[in-house]
Amino acid sequence: MKDPALIFLAAFLVNNIVLMRFLGLCPFFGVSNAVETASGMGMAVIFVMTLASWITWIVYHGILLPFDLVFLRTAVFILTIASLVQLVEMFLKKSYRTLYNALGIYLPLITTNCAILGVTFLTIDNKFDFLNSTIFSIGTGLGFMVVMITFAAIKERLDLAPINPSIKGYPISFIAAGLMALAFLGFSGLFGLT
Amino acid sequence: MKKSQIFTRGLIKENAVLVLMIGLCPALAVSGTVRDAFGMGLAATFVLFFSNIIISIMRKRIPNEVRIPIFILIISTFVTIIDYFMQAFQPSLYRALGVFVPLIVVNCMILGRAEAYASKNSVINSALDGLGVGLGFTLALTVMGAIREILGNGTFLGMAIFGEGFKNASVIFMILPPGAFLVIGVMKALINRYYK
């Protein structure tokens, strides 16, 4: 699979990061109470995911591979991402105040978000080049955001629905997410992508 | 608290997946079959057990300001060990679990136990706590894996348990991603109904 458009579609819809790959479930269930916060979180994830895939791609191909240190991948990636998020936060706070006000509170939450680390591992496992890994991470981040916003809109209505108290909260969220995943299953096979 | 209580608390009463709702990503992603679920559970238990022990041994020497990066480094050491171990000895399981083996490092259950328990308690208690929470995680994953594999494929650990006719009637989406959400949703609803 070399075509950038197909890589984008596969990451965005067919292998949707939340519903098909089960990464980033904590923010998906935790921060999806209102459409506004969901879109803020989605934006922050796209931003950090793209930056993280650039940095880890450079670290992996520039340092780990030439020096035969691939076994340090897990430790190096998580520390790189944690320091990257800190750096981005400080930079935004100083230079781009409006962006910081919009994304700021979500940035610390993202450090331990498995979606970010997962995408960096997936780009390495899929042997993407630099351009394709950028497209892959943007597509994945967009897929996360779209699903987040849709789910937040569903949850806003679920809060008002008269349902049995024992399925209020998590259970009904899981079942709603399951139905969304069932709908997304329909995308598999699109343009021959699996 | 008695030693046995430390162990059993994480097993059932404060089960990470089904009661506290943490560590959801691997729980949903690899519970398609019993074998994958059990393997994932044991891998996470290994990491949790040993990282709890090491963190507890070093708890008086770790400076408070940089404790989280140090915890993450210790955890990622054990994740790398189990990653390479599975690659060498269980290659087919390793391929099935895929990216979720290195991702044990960001499982909030493990960092959570390091921060909340191992950094404050004695080595033996931390080891028991790690073992209990890890086996609780394994238990939850295996139950989910069993439900999904039996309904979706008609097998348990790869052995057929229904007659030939079930092949045409199996609930195929149970072993696909949507099944994971539905199974954990129904399980959580039953727990809310009968356990509280």
Side-chain angles (χ1 to χ4, degrees), chain B residues 3 6 52-53 55-57 59-60 117-129:
Chain B
K3 295 260 185 286
I6 295 172
N52 256 12
I53 291 178
I55 287 165
S56 176
I57 291 172
R59 68 182 187 279
K60 299 212 174 79
Y117 199 87
S119 61
K120 300 187 187 76
N121 289 283
S122 72
V123 178
I124 295 176
N125 285 356
S126 303
L128 280 174
D129 177 76

Side-chain angles (χ1 to χ4, degrees), chain B residues 135-170:
Chain B
L135 290 179
F137 181 72
T138 312
L139 182 73
L141 257 73
T142 312
V143 170
M144 279 181 69
I147 296 173
R148 289 179 65 191
E149 192 181 338
I150 290 171
L151 289 179
N153 212 10
T155 58
F156 183 82
L157 273 173
M159 294 174 291
I161 53 169
F162 296 119
E164 275 295 302
F166 189 76
K167 280 231 166 65
N168 304 322
S170 62

Side-chain angles (χ1 to χ4, degrees), chain A residues 6-36:
Chain A
L6 286 186
I7 291 176
F8 178 80
L9 265 184
F12 180 42
L13 290 177
V14 180
N15 294 321
N16 186 282
I17 185 121
V18 179
L19 295 174
M20 291 295 138
R21 284 198 199 273
F22 299 110
L23 291 170
L25 287 178
C26 303
F28 181 66
F29 287 111
V31 204
S32 57
N33 288 322
V35 172
E36 205 175 311

Side-chain angles (χ1 to χ4, degrees), chain A residues 48 80-90 107-108 110-111:
Chain A
V48 175
T80 312
I81 291 171
S83 30
L84 173 78
V85 173
Q86 286 271 299
L87 205 70
V88 167
E89 196 185 353
M90 286 191 290
L107 285 173
I110 286 177
T111 315

Side-chain angles (χ1 to χ4, degrees), chain B residues 7-23:
Chain B
F7 176 70
T8 52
R9 183 188 51 188
L11 207 57
I12 311 263
K13 200 166 149 232
E14 291 181 13
N15 190 295
V17 178
L18 293 175
V19 180
L20 301 182
M21 297 279 146
I22 53 178

Side-chain angles (χ1 to χ4, degrees), chain A residues 19-26 29 70-71 73-75 78-79 112 114 117-118 121 166-167 170-171 174-175 177-178 181-182 185, chain B residues 21 24-25 28-29 72-73 76 79-80 84 99-100 102-103 105-106 108 111 173 176-178 180-182 184-185 188-189 192-193:
Chain A
L19 295 174
M20 291 295 138
R21 284 198 199 273
F22 299 110
L23 291 170
L25 287 178
C26 303
F29 287 111
V70 177
F71 64 93
R73 179 177 89 153
T74 312
I78 180 92
L79 288 182
T112 53
C114 51
L117 192 63
F121 285 144
S166 55
I167 65 164
Y170 267 110
F174 280 127
I175 291 167
L182 208 53
L185 211 54
Chain B
M21 297 279 146
L24 284 177
C25 298
L28 296 182
I72 291 178
L73 263 186
S76 70
V79 171
T80 308
Y84 276 68
V99 73
F100 285 94
L103 282 182
V105 73
V106 280
C108 30
L111 192 62
F173 82 86
L176 297 173
F181 285 117
L182 292 185
I184 197 170
K188 183 70 185 160
N192 283 352
R193 177 78 177 78

